[in-house]
Amino acid sequence: MSGTAELTGVGVRRFTRRATARRADTSWLTLGGDVLSALTTAGVVVAVLGGAFSALRGRIAARPPAPATDLPGELTAAVAALVVAAGVVALLSRLGPLSATPAAAAWWLPLPADRRGLLRGDLQRVGAVAVVSAVVVALPVVLAAPAAPTVAEAAVTVLAAALLALTAVGVLVLLQARALTGWVAPVAGSLATAAVVVPAVLGTVGPAGPAPTWAPTAPDLPLPVLGGVPLLVAAVALLAADRVGGRVPAGALRERGTAVLVASVSALSLDTRELGRALGTPVHPPRRARRWARVRTPWQAVVAGDLAVTTRSPWRWGQLAIGTALPVLAARTDGLGGVPALVAVAVVAGWSLAAVALGEPARQAHGAPAADRLLPLGARDVVRARAVVPLAGLMVVCAVSAGLVGLGWEWAALGAATAPAWAGAAVRGGYRPELDWSGPVLSSPMGAVPTGVAVTLVRGLDLGVLGTVPLVAGLLLGAVPPLLLGVALGWSLLLGLVAVETARRTGP
């Protein structure tokens, strides 16, 4: 950049881009090959997803309708899309959407150039990521519809999702410029929780009268109006976001950029523990002090501390509610409820989410083991005390969830019998060791990862899945024999003891 050139944000970005290109080893031929490879991969993924969902749709249609399924498949697909969209919006509100990496914050932000031009490239990248995420979310929902969609219907739906994502990015930038993004993540989490819990409750209670025959249809509007209004709204939101982008404080940009850097590095190295710390929600102190009058022994102090950590975060309550309602939602949905394998997948997903929520005290104890070492308890006793709160919480979650899935007390008993395995899984996952980078590494599309990364990722979840085997057997049988209850309880207790013992070896 010459001395007489105007120092603008666009000029700084152009100079950085050209300097990077002069020092890069990538040629236009290599770049074209990468683009072609990415497009080919995307086409293969779309073809595989389309074939898989088409085969699943035909298999579901060939099965007889299952009893006690009152929710249409379109509603459950919309709920899934809403939950994923709420998660993406909450993630964007935590990480930006505008941010500055430590390098950019050290070089770009102090320059006497307009910050609006400096951040325009970041806004474009976030918009592109939002569009890709919207397509990834909308395409499976369209392909999973009970009726096979046409190419035009699929294209219109995906385009509408992309425009909605761009609108959300623009609105988030407007809120970020006014430092008002703090309420976005809690509202998105509450919306996702209500979207899962309310249909599950309605599907279980059943309609008071005859079930309405509703099917989603597009409004009877001209095509220019139907497609032009979302496009206009998205364009206005992005233009307004570009206009106020320069008003975001440098401190907020630097803080969000550090979080983005840590989260991206953790995701590429498959370090879910560090990723959770980077995306962790702030925990506010309680409004009034709590008095634990009945806490008299060290192990009771551990249980009381775990209970305080679990209950003071609204996110944990939302995770427990979603974990309880997700299997019920799958069991009450037309088509899904008649396929035991799909209900079992929903059970594992929901109870895993509940176990992660109740394993937060163990994760914090693993990150700061000094507090546990000050207690007059051995390592085994500390880990056993850590399992009390997950066991109590998961007994409620598993019993209520399984009881509503099977609509019977015996199913609730089977779910409660599975709780010890999931409680042990929560503690085992919380005390899992850090990734070992001192040994050999593997080459992956995301970079180098340790050879034992797969074992570390599934540590805890493996025993939880094994503990769910008796429930899966009950789903396949369609009933819960008394022998199955005894086998499930013994098997679950054995897995819980194994989980606590293996957690003790890597614990405090």
Side-chain angles (χ1 to χ4, degrees), residues 92 113 121 181 186 206 211 218 235 268 283 303 305 318-319 433 436 445 481:
L92 282 178
T181 56
L268 291 177
V283 178
V303 174
Q319 287 177 309
D436 184 12

Side-chain angles (χ1 to χ4, degrees), residues 306-331:
D306 293 353
L307 188 61
V309 170
T310 304
T311 56
R312 70 182 179 181
S313 175
W315 285 89
R316 306 303 170 202
W317 291 105
Q319 287 177 309
L320 293 176
I322 293 177
T324 304
L326 188 60
V328 183
L329 181 65

Side-chain angles (χ1 to χ4, degrees), residues 269-321:
S269 61
L270 299 180
D271 190 353
T272 55
R273 186 190 300 275
E274 191 63 30
L275 180 62
R277 292 169 183 168
L279 303 179
T281 58
V283 178
H284 302 286
R287 296 181 179 179
R288 63 178 183 273
R290 297 181 179 179
R291 297 184 181 272
W292 304 95
R294 299 183 180 180
V295 176
R296 303 182 185 276
T297 60
W299 74 268
Q300 290 178 344
V302 174
V303 174
D306 293 353
L307 188 61
V309 170
T310 304
T311 56
R312 70 182 179 181
S313 175
W315 285 89
R316 306 303 170 202
W317 291 105
Q319 287 177 309
L320 293 176

Side-chain angles (χ1 to χ4, degrees), residues 405-450:
V405 166
L407 297 178
W409 67 267
E410 64 276 5
W411 289 95
L414 182 59
T418 312
W422 281 104
V427 177
R428 173 181 164 91
Y431 280 113
R432 70 180 186 272
E434 304 286 349
L435 294 178
D436 184 12
W437 291 93
S438 61
V441 296
L442 295 175
S443 178
S444 69
M446 297 181 296
V449 295

